[in-house]
Amino acid sequence: MTRPSTVDLHLHTQASDGSMTAQELMQAAAEAGLRTVAVTDHDTVAGLEAAATAARSHGIELVAGVELSVSWQRRTLHIVGLDIDPDADALREGLERLQAQRRERARAIAIKLEKLGDTGAVRWVEATPDNRQLTRSHFAMRLVEAGVCPDAKRAFKRYLAPGKSAYVATQWPTMEEAIGWITAAGGTAVVAHPLKYPMTRSWRHRMLAAFRDSGGSAMEVCSGNSDAEAIRTGIDDAESFGLRASLGSDFHGSSQPWIKLGRLPALPENLRPVLDRMR
Ligand code: MN
Ligand code: MN
Ligand code: MN
């Protein structure tokens, strides 16, 4: 697993919480030697058109994607959809519902932050155009810019992570619903960064089984910060649950500077890649 992959199937643009424009992102992807990338913004497909234009101008193949928040067993998981038709009705309706929930959550976070002394947070949320998805990373950036926190990581640790003072729990769609929207849009559902959730190994296995039994077919075996051991775990899980393998950095630009774009090892030969054309 030493050969670097030219594929990165989990990138974010400004349309969700990536801080880069589509052009900047594809420029960086080209410089990193990537040939095929997926843009998978949080709960929106609004950035895909600009991404397609930018990808073309850099000779990069763009896979249309999205990253959906779902609730499973009182936890929040992320399900990536790859090779989707962004105009499919079921997906469009699902995204509208998610976006309304996200707006509601953003307002609730802002109200909490105002109580903690961040005056203007609610006004800032209200001034954000409806087509921009406000994620917790946006709030983290706001806290960094205001000088409240030295960096985004600490903004999460102090305010935005589950259980912290500005955290708002949300009931997202179920895993079954999200997989259904992705499949109805012709796409493939992928468990995003399966090792990033605070759960034990046996819960993770339960989650992967439930995902597969709900019609999901792939998982990320390698993510931005995966070390060799994490990748081995990913490969084992993909094999034991009969899931196809995806790989993606979860690159967010300068809002999460510790994650680098690309630089993922190529998938081992014995795994079935998430997209047939990757073989
Ligand atoms: Mn994110
Ligand atoms: Mn995610
Ligand atoms: Mn992501």
Side-chain angles (χ1 to χ4, degrees), residues 131-258:
N131 60 357
R132 282 289 297 273
Q133 295 308 297
L134 281 181
T135 68
R136 284 179 296 158
S137 288
H138 286 106
F139 285 97
M141 282 188 270
R142 177 182 160 84
L143 291 167
V144 172
E145 275 159 27
V148 177
C149 300
D151 55 47
K153 227 170 195 165
R154 260 166 289 187
F156 272 87
K157 236 178 147 170
R158 268 177 64 191
Y159 297 104
L160 300 165
K164 303 300 167 164
S165 49
Y167 181 74
V168 174
T170 306
Q171 183 66 41
W172 303 110
T174 65
M175 191 148 84
E176 292 79 0
E177 286 176 300
I179 294 170
W181 303 339
I182 291 167
T183 339
T188 301
V190 184
V191 177
H193 40 66
L195 292 182
K196 225 179 101 183
Y197 311 110
M199 50 172 84
T200 59
R201 180 172 177 274
S202 61
W203 269 102
R204 187 179 74 250
H205 286 176
R206 228 172 287 176
M207 181 264 288
L208 292 172
F211 171 78
R212 182 199 52 204
D213 297 344
S214 308
S217 55
M219 60 172 276
E220 291 180 351
V221 299
C222 179
S223 194
N225 284 340
S226 299
D227 56 19
E229 197 193 324
I231 295 171
R232 260 194 309 275
T233 304
I235 293 169
D236 283 353
D237 283 354
E239 282 177 333
S240 17
F241 292 91
L243 294 168
R244 290 169 170 244
S246 186
L247 70 176
S249 63
D250 201 4
F251 179 68
H252 276 268
S254 58
S255 70
Q256 294 181 17
W258 59 91

Side-chain angles (χ1 to χ4, degrees), residues 11-25 39 41 44 46-47 131-134 138 141 252:
L11 300 175
H12 292 280
T13 71
Q14 268 176 353
S16 65
D17 53 352
S19 58
M20 278 179 165
T21 64
Q23 276 296 339
E24 288 165 341
L25 181 69
V39 163
D41 285 322
T44 181
N131 60 357
R132 282 289 297 273
Q133 295 308 297
L134 281 181
H138 286 106
M141 282 188 270
H252 276 268

